[in-house]
Amino acid sequence: KLSLILAMIMLFTLLATSASADWTPEKPITIMNYVKAGGGMDIATRKFQELAAKYTDATIIVDNKTGAGGLTCADYILSQPADGYLVFATTISYVDTVLANEEDVDNYIWGFEWIDDIMADPYAVIVKKDSDWTLESLIANANEEEQIWAGPAAGGSKHIAAIQFCNALGINITWLAKDGGPDAMLAVMGDQAVASCGNPGDVEGRELRHLVIATKDKLAKYPDVPNFAELGYPELDELSMWRGYAVKAGTPEEFIVWWQDLCQKVTEDPEWIEFFADKSIVVHNKTSEDFLNELKSDMASHLEVLKSADLVSADYTIE
């Protein structure tokens, strides 16, 4: 039995290597961002483009097609051939846009193959730097009076994470929707809101601080900031904002194997690791099955949150 298992492992390895070797780019590959230049995924794809040149002679282009929370970019990619020359740089925020707008998941989710999750940007509860808030006092205050948290669009990823946090903490908040993360941070600094659900990097250059960062392994850049496990809520350290790559369904398997191999090389590159460690982002490379399982789990839990908050209709389904 052992020899049979070893033989099968060798066969699968050879097949994967062969598939990768069988695909050679014949024209430039374009990575399409749905976020504006300078957004988190845009920064990631441009760093990926830079480092990929170490490992492939293929020409990789980064382009941006914004609008409708990613739906405009998705529509464009879905209208193009599934030939391996167009990659969707996507995030959990795009998935939440699909859910919050009650879009057709057969088209906007399963019209893609989800091939690489390359990083996790932890969520954090952020307050004004000179405030006296602790997580304990924040909870106590929310039980006594209306508490306002600022963040991007209602029904978006950070709003969903905030609801998940508050459900576990046993509190209710009012969400002040702002036009993006920077405006939400300004609302906290200007006392329009008590707190925000953001990412660790949101405090950089601002008079803000983290109350807690949702990550199992504490961030080297913020060693004194507790995670939720230290405060008695370990399940909340599972929540983070992922970013990754998808391609139109039907894209040749040979390309997918080639791209996943390239992603593995880039995400193991010391320069990639150091670059994102400075931004307090956890890098990895979750491929096909692992990424798909993560996606399905997030979709189910996020839809439950959206329905509980009356942000989508009760009869909307993703089955």
Side-chain angles (χ1 to χ4, degrees):
K1 288 183 177 179
L2 179 59
S3 61
L4 178 60
I5 293 171
L6 290 173
M8 290 178 67
I9 291 172
M10 291 179 64
L11 176 61
F12 288 140
T13 302
L14 286 171
L15 288 173
T17 303
S18 175
S20 178
D22 285 347
W23 196 84
T24 304
E26 297 178 350
K27 61 181 182 179
I29 298 165
T30 300
I31 306 176
M32 295 295 305
N33 279 311
Y34 74 84
V35 300
K36 294 178 182 178
M41 194 58 186
D42 180 72
I43 291 170
T45 52
R46 293 182 190 279
K47 190 66 179 179
F48 183 93
Q49 175 193 41
E50 174 192 337
L51 295 182
K54 294 184 181 181
Y55 306 105
T56 180
D57 292 331
T59 299
I60 297 177
I61 299 168
V62 177
D63 198 4
N64 301 70
K65 186 173 286 292
T66 62
L71 299 178
T72 300
C73 188
D75 280 332
Y76 173 74
I77 294 169
L78 292 170
S79 73
Q80 300 301 304
D83 57 8
Y85 292 100
L86 198 55
V87 177
F88 188 20
T90 186
T91 74
I92 184 59
S93 295
Y94 163 75
V95 176
D96 289 333
T97 294
V98 173
L99 299 180
N101 287 280
E102 303 186 32
E103 297 289 352
D104 179 9
V105 295
D106 285 338
N107 183 47
Y108 285 109
I109 301 296
W110 307 129
F112 294 98
E113 292 187 47
W114 302 78
I115 57 176
D116 290 272
D117 164 6
I118 58 171
M119 63 181 59
D121 200 353
Y123 291 115
V125 178
I126 295 171
V127 296
K128 200 171 179 180
K129 189 172 185 177
D130 61 2
S131 69
D132 295 327
W133 292 114
T134 64
L135 188 64
E136 184 178 12
S137 65
L138 199 74
I139 293 170
N141 174 265
N143 286 323
E144 293 174 357
E145 59 186 67
E146 179 189 26
Q147 191 173 99
I148 297 173
W149 288 28
S157 298
K158 291 178 179 178
H159 188 196
I160 291 171
I163 293 171
Q164 290 173 311
F165 287 165
C166 292
N167 286 346
L169 300 174
I171 62 175
N172 292 310
I173 61 167
T174 297
W175 187 255
L176 175 61
K178 305 296 288 188
D179 187 19
D183 282 350
M185 298 304 119
L186 285 172
V188 175
M189 289 189 289
D191 295 320
Q192 291 178 294
V194 169
S196 178
C197 180
N199 302 113
D202 287 334
V203 306
E204 296 293 325
R206 299 184 174 104
E207 291 299 306
L208 299 167
R209 64 182 176 90
H210 311 103
L211 277 189
V212 56
I213 298 174
T215 179
K216 287 183 178 179
D217 299 316
K218 294 182 65 172
L219 301 178
K221 194 169 184 178
Y222 303 107
D224 297 328
V225 178
N227 60 16
F228 277 104
E230 292 176 271
L231 302 176
Y233 306 93
E235 70 279 8
L236 294 179
D237 287 330
E238 303 284 344
L239 305 180
S240 64
M241 175 182 286
W242 55 255
R243 301 186 180 102
Y245 296 121
V247 290
K248 185 178 177 179
T251 294
E253 182 65 23
E254 293 82 3
F255 167 78
I256 292 173
V257 171
W258 181 88
W259 184 264
Q260 289 175 334
D261 178 67
L262 180 61
C263 280
Q264 191 64 38
K265 289 171 180 173
V266 170
T267 55
E268 289 177 348
D269 189 294
E271 186 177 344
W272 176 269
I273 295 168
E274 182 180 355
F275 181 80
F276 287 104
D278 185 61
K279 298 179 182 300
S280 301
I281 294 172
V282 179
V283 297
H284 50 230
N285 186 32
K286 296 182 182 179
T287 57
S288 300
E289 186 175 356
D290 287 341
F291 189 13
L292 189 58
N293 288 338
E294 179 179 47
L295 171 65
K296 288 179 177 178
S297 176
D298 282 348
M299 286 177 66
S301 62
H302 290 198
L303 182 58
E304 183 180 348
V305 169
L306 289 168
K307 287 186 175 181
S308 71
D310 294 325
L311 292 169
V312 300
S313 57
D315 58 356
Y316 175 65
T317 179
I318 57 174
E319 297 300 328

